[in-house]
Amino acid sequence: MGLSSAGEVVPLIDAALAFASAELSLLGVRQSGRSKAPARAETLAQVRRGAAAIAALEPAWREIAGSARGVSAFQSFGFARAAAAYHEARGEEVVVAVVERGGRAECILPVVIARRGGLRVASFLGDPLAQYGDALLASGAPSRAARLALEGLVAQAGIDALQLRRVRADAALLPALSSLAKVVGRSLEAPYADLTAAASVDALLLEIGGAKQRRERARSRRRLAEKGPLVFDARRGPEAIGMIRDAFAAKGEWLARRGFVSAVIGDPNAADVFARLAADADDGRSVVALRLTVGGEPAAYEVGLVHGGAYHAYLGAVAEPLEAFSPGKTLMEETLAWCRANGIDRYDLLAPADAYKRQWSNGTVPVHDFVAPVTLAGRLYVEAWLTRLRPTLREALEAMPAGLRCRLGRAALRAGAR
């Protein structure tokens, strides 16, 4: 598909301008930019700013993250603190909306505000590093607290648009987003393997993929063993930091060989976030780095995050010399066994549901991206860029030759695209 022409954009802009006197979104688009919110909205939530605001919430944050259901590792306090430092180093603004009752935090909604073409756009804290986004909702708190946090954020943070990505179907914020925002882009799925569904990892994989895939895994393992002894190594917390950096480097090399770029892997500071998380006194052991060596040489890496009985398979990479022998399959098989031995019930492969992920999974969870304009300028950003132009440009980029795709992708990242 070719690039959109300028003529396609003009009717959209004209329509939006003609509609400027009306309410432009369910959140209440403001015509004159980021004007002060009505006094009523000021009571919805407290909006606090900066990494210092995150730090001040540590006791309440850790309590909610440790006791509430459905919380992912991307919502831990350790991840939030590391992500806040990352964003502020990029010149982005960290903001958190807090809803309290009786002096106790019921809901915490952290976001980052970044400039997009001169507009202030709010995304989940940690984006694009975090693979899930949500509000923290205390156990027993009413679901309306999440809506109050979202409404308070919109009313007080001075933003033009919301762009909240990777929201799971079981997210605490989903009911509020479903009524106050709209889904944009493709609906995705996050595949997972329920490790309790069979008596062993081998039995589970046989049930999922059948005898043919088991033979393929056995062949890969056998061919690797012919090159030298196979050694599986798993490290957690501070001991994982060196291996985390090695895994990011290996993934970057793998992407470069194929002409792809990544907003995460292509960022030299991304690995630092996971290194900071690994060093966290309380949440550090949520970070796991796994490596398969063959004859003493690295063959494959995986970096994962663990929380609440779930392992999130964040990053996988294989070394070029042994790539033809599929060392990633052997490492994934070993990682599943490690998860089971460590009391982990779910191996989450994260969205999107690529074909190879389905070969390792027996369930999926829907994942959506949500957007909502807050100002007229924000509506143009949402409707013209996020909804129409960006998907078209992405398709065109993916269809280009690898070398050109890589150069243009890097240029887009340098310009701030995500």
Side-chain angles (χ1 to χ4, degrees):
M1 183 181 295
L3 300 180
S4 295
S5 66
E8 291 181 87
V9 182
V10 172
L12 178 64
I13 295 175
D14 290 341
L17 292 175
F19 203 58
S21 61
E23 184 176 351
L24 294 179
S25 83
L26 291 173
L27 289 173
V29 172
R30 296 189 290 273
Q31 298 176 42
S32 57
R34 296 176 291 275
S35 58
K36 184 176 179 181
R40 181 189 65 81
E42 300 294 337
T43 64
L44 295 182
Q46 301 175 35
V47 171
R48 307 171 188 178
R49 301 175 188 271
I54 301 290
L57 286 166
E58 179 174 0
W61 200 303
R62 290 196 187 276
E63 179 184 354
I64 296 174
S67 60
R69 296 182 59 186
V71 175
S72 78
F74 302 105
Q75 295 173 268
S76 73
F77 178 78
F79 184 85
R81 179 161 56 186
Y86 166 82
H87 288 303
E88 290 196 337
R90 293 166 58 94
E92 298 167 343
E93 183 181 1
V94 173
V95 175
V96 57
V98 184
V99 174
E100 295 182 337
R101 178 180 297 182
R104 173 178 176 266
E106 286 192 326
C107 185
I108 299 174
L109 174 56
V111 300
V112 58
I113 300 175
R115 290 281 179 179
R116 298 283 182 265
L119 304 183
R120 287 168 55 83
V121 179
S123 304
F124 285 121
L125 185 73
D127 190 350
L129 307 180
Q131 296 302 296
Y132 293 132
D134 198 4
L136 277 170
L137 187 64
S139 180
S143 60
R144 176 162 173 74
R147 182 181 180 116
L148 293 177
L150 183 62
E151 290 176 340
L153 176 73
V154 168
Q156 301 173 53
I159 59 176
D160 292 292
L162 290 169
Q163 184 179 4
L164 301 177
R165 304 194 303 152
R166 303 187 181 107
V167 180
R168 288 168 53 99
D170 55 359
L173 198 58
L174 183 67
L177 287 173
S178 296
S179 61
L180 299 177
K182 72 173 184 177
V183 173
V184 67
R186 295 176 298 149
S187 294
L188 303 175
E189 291 182 323
Y192 65 86
D194 179 357
L195 302 182
T196 68
S200 67
V201 169
D202 185 64
L204 176 67
L205 294 178
L206 180 61
E207 182 179 311
I208 293 173
K212 180 180 178 181
Q213 289 185 20
R214 182 166 68 173
R215 288 194 299 271
E216 291 176 354
R217 291 192 303 272
R219 183 169 59 251
S220 295
R221 185 182 289 266
R222 185 173 59 254
R223 294 175 67 195
L224 287 169
E226 292 171 355
K227 300 294 181 180
L230 308 186
V231 176
F232 173 74
D233 188 13
R235 302 183 186 184
R236 304 183 74 167
E239 295 182 354
I241 292 175
M243 202 182 294
I244 290 169
R245 297 192 185 282
D246 290 343
F248 270 77
K251 187 68 171 184
E253 294 168 359
W254 186 91
L255 289 171
R257 291 196 298 271
R258 285 158 177 75
F260 291 108
V261 295
S262 163
V264 175
I265 306 303
D267 186 338
N269 300 313
D272 292 340
V273 173
F274 294 88
R276 291 192 192 102
L277 174 56
D280 186 89
D282 294 291
D283 294 322
R285 284 184 60 79
S286 68
V287 185
V288 187
L290 310 107
R291 180 181 60 197
L292 177 71
T293 58
V294 178
E297 295 297 321
Y301 293 93
E302 186 165 321
V303 175
L305 298 178
V306 175
H307 186 88
Y311 171 97
H312 306 294
Y314 187 81
L315 178 154
V318 297
E320 183 177 13
L322 295 172
E323 186 173 354
F325 302 98
S326 302
K329 292 181 179 180
T330 301
L331 180 56
M332 288 180 73
E333 200 169 9
E334 293 289 343
T335 302
L336 288 172
W338 180 89
C339 288
R340 191 179 177 94
N342 283 271
I344 295 168
D345 296 333
R346 177 175 289 201
Y347 181 84
D348 179 6
L349 290 102
L350 304 173
D354 297 325
Y356 85 91
K357 294 181 182 181
R358 293 190 180 276
Q359 296 176 3
W360 297 84
S361 61
N362 56 3
T364 61
V365 175
V367 179
H368 303 291
D369 293 348
F370 286 88
V371 295
V374 179
T375 65
L376 175 59
R379 181 176 179 89
L380 295 177
Y381 173 79
V382 167
E383 297 296 342
W385 172 245
L386 292 181
T387 304
R388 298 187 65 182
L389 291 178
R390 187 175 184 272
T392 300
L393 290 173
R394 179 181 290 274
E395 288 182 6
L397 187 66
E398 291 174 352
M400 291 179 182
L404 179 59
R405 180 177 64 233
C406 191
R407 290 194 296 274
L408 290 178
R410 286 173 179 166
L413 291 179
R414 287 195 297 271
R418 287 187 179 176

